[in-house]
Amino acid sequence: SAGLRQIVYLGGLGEDSDDLSPHLRSRRETEGRLASGSVPVTTLRAAMVVGDGSAAFETVAALVDRLPVMITPRWVGSRAQPIAIEDVVSYLLEARSIPLGGSRVFEIGGADQASYSDIMLEYARQRGLKRRLIPVPVLTPRLSGLWLGLVTPLDARVGRKLVESLKHDTVVKDDAALRAFQVRPRGLREAIARSLT
């Protein structure tokens, strides 16, 4: 639109590579299309958002709530930098006033890096649940997606897409956001505690 001064876009965190999942690839394509216009774009790339409405977090919560023993695929060993939903909102709001000389990409994450199994076990601890994880390296993204479809509210196709994007580490490599923004993200323990209230 004629009066638009800036676009703020929330994308997915992860290294640019040839084997990006279709989910992350579509987010990168969206970034590129937005940035190719005449309006500056601030892109915030985040990994798992901890809070209501986050497919990844709600899947973790559903698995932990429902299964005392979990046969886990390889992706639960991938490292992420989960971020509280309140911190994402703070970044989005502050991004509107960041001075831009053009389009910029910022990687945002919480204060802690953790594997998905660490996230599951911390969620279980805070819910007072004893949970055991048994890793099985042969579960493919397709089988994992079907498994998630059986034990969580996710559709199997959505589960497969989610798993494909979780198989790689999604951690902040560039801390420019900490220099450009006043947001000081919470750690995993506090993010989960806030999601449970």
Side-chain angles (χ1 to χ4, degrees), residues 158-196:
V158 175
R160 186 171 68 249
K161 289 177 182 173
L162 180 64
V163 167
E164 286 171 346
S165 62
L166 298 180
K167 67 183 178 182
H168 298 293
D169 290 348
T170 50
V171 295
V172 172
K173 299 282 178 81
D174 178 356
D175 66 354
L178 291 176
R179 294 189 303 274
F181 292 79
Q182 293 182 10
V183 181
R184 291 298 170 261
R186 298 164 175 81
L188 176 63
R189 186 172 293 187
E190 185 182 351
I192 290 175
R194 290 179 69 83
S195 78
L196 292 174

Side-chain angles (χ1 to χ4, degrees), residues 6 8 89-98 177 180-183:
Q6 179 185 6
V8 178
V89 170
S90 295
Y91 272 118
L92 289 167
L93 292 172
E94 193 177 332
R96 298 177 307 167
S97 60
I98 294 288
F181 292 79
Q182 293 182 10
V183 181

